[in-house]
Amino acid sequence: MTTRSSTDATRVIPEATVARLPVYLRALTALADSGIRTCSSEDLATAAGVNSAKLRKDLSYLGSYGTRGVGYDVDYLRYQIAREIGVTQDWPVVIVGIGNLGHALANYSGFRSRGFRVVALLDADPALVGQTVAGVVVRPFDDLEEIVREHDVAIGVIATPAFAAQDVADRMVAIGITSILNFAPAVVAVPEGVDVRKVDLSIELQILAYHEQRKANGADPTNADGGAA
Amino acid sequence: MTTRSSTDATRVIPEATVARLPVYLRALTALADSGIRTCSSEDLATAAGVNSAKLRKDLSYLGSYGTRGVGYDVDYLRYQIAREIGVTQDWPVVIVGIGNLGHALANYSGFRSRGFRVVALLDADPALVGQTVAGVVVRPFDDLEEIVREHDVAIGVIATPAFAAQDVADRMVAIGITSILNFAPAVVAVPEGVDVRKVDLSIELQILAYHEQRKANGADPTNADGGAA
DNA sequence: TCCATTTTGTTCCCACGTTCACAAACTCCT
DNA sequence: AGGAGTTTGTGAACGTGGGAACAAAATGGA
């Protein structure tokens, strides 16, 4: 085994693993809340809904935080994953587009509890500006630059209609935002070095519809699992 | 080339391709709305934000709907993809949990326009029952079975808090729902044959935070793309 | 101390997904 | 008709991810 120090910047964690670390984190928090101090990879894998071999391999990319014959210390492992993801620090976030979805996002408690702080809500519609949503006053979109500079914001959320998404993204990138979470049903192009993740509600339903249709047509059910269970 | 008839049930489309078909569908709709009647794989790939070779390979799983030297007929290809996904038919959907997110989902116009019809909104909270959201009256959760039978619902959406998600999923499965879209931040277990797709807002932000942290630490930027642009 | 038991960390192998590169097939122009 | 130009559909190479299996390392009891 090659023991890697936690400061070894050359270490690369596969993208598929990164996407699962937050799930492990949540499962560990649930275990800790139940008063459980130690767990095996089997326990944690069950709680996270994955295969235990996959879990162990995922954790091995972070380092060697378990004890053979014993398992993992819940609090210790939780801290290590949190540090690796970066949720031990505070992340200021701006949300652009305060429609139905923007409202819901602004009120979502799961952000706050994981270190994401909504520092501003922005909308181009003057009718919305000035209203208070989730305890935050909606400000005009043109205030974006001022807010980003003041709070050193790196992460932006787009919850606008599709037609506005690319413009908003362009403005965000120009001002220095380097990570974007896009809820608008549109493809946004960004330069190298900027991360975009897309969440599209209707696409998820369409994927389910495809599998549902195959089930209804009596297709071979061996592959009926949608691949996301 | 093996020409496959559209009724050949043995044909299997890779999961990764299925997940992109809705994106192509949206891009084609945008092209059609711009008055474009024909496009090349390069054009469509750009509009969809993917590599053109990948697009062609994806489309080849459906059949041979293009013309060499010419490209694809926008309307024709759009219809073929829509039929393949199943959005040419009407899909009744129930939403359980009418909090902030449930509200937003009920009002989301993107569902209706793609063949998904919200036939009922359900909540266990008596204070919410009877209220009208997006033109639909909220009904008690216990009405689930009656509604599912009446409308022949196959797809359920969970927008409850985490603690309720597994119970709701169990009830849905018992009643005969075979596809679930889960917005609750919890792992739900379902039996073989039931599809679950999970959308977790805070997980997406955590993935962005991980990459953001790596950028800030001056890590090798060659892999800085979050993998979802 | 030594052995049986447990559980991690890792290796090996297979399946899936992506991309390159090119033959096949179509249009248009002369 | 025939050749130049264009674009699709696909075979092959490559890279990533998942899972079984096992060696290594810890515990606990005799």
Side-chain angles (χ1 to χ4, degrees):
Chain A
M1 185 194 82
T2 308
T3 302
R4 287 169 294 228
S5 90
S6 57
T7 54
D8 183 352
T10 64
R11 185 178 34 148
V12 169
I13 299 180
E15 194 55 34
T17 296
V18 171
R20 280 187 296 267
L21 290 179
V23 179
Y24 302 155
L25 192 56
R26 198 169 61 203
L28 284 166
T29 302
L31 290 176
D33 289 347
S34 310
I36 296 171
R37 328 262 322 190
T38 298
C39 69
S40 68
S41 64
E42 198 68 49
D43 298 334
L44 183 53
T46 301
V50 302
N51 177 297
S52 70
K54 181 153 63 178
L55 170 74
R56 289 198 299 277
K57 185 179 277 193
D58 283 342
L59 295 183
S60 77
Y61 291 118
L62 310 191
S64 192
Y65 296 134
T67 307
R68 297 176 193 221
V70 178
Y72 301 93
D73 182 281
V74 172
D75 279 334
Y76 179 62
L77 182 58
R78 184 163 58 134
Y79 172 74
Q80 294 299 341
I81 294 178
R83 188 176 51 77
E84 190 70 40
I85 301 177
V87 294
T88 47
Q89 57 184 278
D90 186 77
W91 291 99
V93 170
V94 293
I95 299 177
V96 177
I98 313 301
N100 284 303
L101 185 57
H103 253 84
L105 295 173
N107 280 293
Y108 185 49
S109 62
F111 290 161
R112 188 69 184 246
S113 67
R114 283 171 187 83
F116 299 98
R117 188 164 40 91
V118 177
V119 297
L121 304 176
L122 305 177
D123 203 294
D125 182 357
L128 283 172
V129 171
Q131 290 189 19
T132 299
V133 174
V136 180
V137 177
V138 178
R139 297 177 59 176
F141 178 59
D142 285 337
D143 287 4
L144 180 64
E145 180 159 14
E146 179 189 334
I147 292 163
V148 167
R149 296 210 189 289
E150 183 186 345
H151 294 91
D152 200 22
V153 178
I155 301 177
V157 176
I158 299 178
T160 65
F163 71 86
Q166 184 64 59
D167 284 345
V168 171
D170 289 345
R171 278 287 284 279
M172 284 181 168
V173 170
I175 289 169
I177 282 180
T178 45
S179 291
I180 294 174
L181 182 52
N182 177 31
F183 287 93
V187 175
V188 306
V190 294
E192 188 79 12
V194 177
D195 285 350
V196 177
R197 292 194 68 87
K198 190 165 67 86
V199 175
D200 190 312
L201 312 179
S202 82
I203 283 183
E204 299 300 325
L205 274 188
Q206 289 175 66
I207 295 169
L208 286 175
Y210 169 79
H211 292 292
E212 197 58 46
Q213 181 177 242
R214 295 205 100 221
K215 291 180 205 166
N217 288 347
D220 177 18
T222 49
N223 196 26
D225 168 58
Chain B
M1 186 193 81
T2 308
T3 303
R4 287 170 294 230
S5 90
S6 56
T7 54
D8 183 353
T10 64
R11 184 179 34 150
V12 169
I13 300 180
E15 195 56 35
T17 296
V18 171
R20 282 187 294 268
L21 290 180
V23 179
Y24 302 155
L25 192 57
R26 200 169 58 202
L28 284 167
T29 301
L31 290 176
D33 289 349
S34 311
I36 295 170
R37 326 262 323 190
T38 297
C39 69
S40 68
S41 63
E42 198 68 49
D43 298 335
L44 184 52
T46 302
V50 302
N51 177 297
S52 70
K54 181 152 63 177
L55 170 75
R56 288 199 300 276
K57 178 153 281 195
D58 283 342
L59 295 183
S60 77
Y61 291 117
L62 311 190
S64 192
Y65 296 135
T67 307
R68 297 176 193 220
V70 179
Y72 301 93
D73 181 281
V74 172
D75 279 334
Y76 180 60
L77 182 58
R78 183 163 59 134
Y79 172 75
Q80 293 298 342
I81 294 177
R83 188 177 51 77
E84 190 69 42
I85 301 177
V87 294
T88 47
Q89 57 183 278
D90 185 78
W91 292 99
V93 169
V94 293
I95 299 176
V96 177
I98 313 302
N100 284 303
L101 185 57
H103 253 85
L105 295 173
N107 279 293
Y108 184 50
S109 61
F111 291 162
R112 188 69 184 246
S113 67
R114 283 173 186 83
F116 298 99
R117 188 165 41 91
V118 177
V119 297
L121 305 177
L122 304 177
D123 204 293
D125 182 357
L128 283 170
V129 171
Q131 289 188 18
T132 300
V133 174
V136 179
V137 177
V138 178
R139 297 176 59 176
F141 178 58
D142 285 336
D143 286 4
L144 180 65
E145 180 159 13
E146 179 189 334
I147 292 163
V148 166
R149 296 208 189 292
E150 183 186 346
H151 294 92
D152 201 22
V153 178
I155 301 177
V157 176
I158 299 177
T160 65
F163 71 86
Q166 185 64 59
D167 284 344
V168 172
D170 289 346
R171 278 287 285 278
M172 284 181 168
V173 170
I175 289 169
I177 282 179
T178 45
S179 290
I180 294 174
L181 183 53
N182 177 30
F183 287 93
V187 175
V188 305
V190 294
E192 188 80 11
V194 177
D195 285 350
V196 176
R197 293 195 67 87
K198 191 164 66 87
V199 175
D200 192 311
L201 311 178
S202 82
I203 283 183
E204 298 299 325
L205 275 187
Q206 290 175 66
I207 295 170
L208 286 175
Y210 169 79
H211 292 292
E212 197 59 45
Q213 182 176 240
R214 295 206 97 220
K215 290 179 205 168
N217 288 348
D220 176 18
T222 51
N223 197 26
D225 167 58

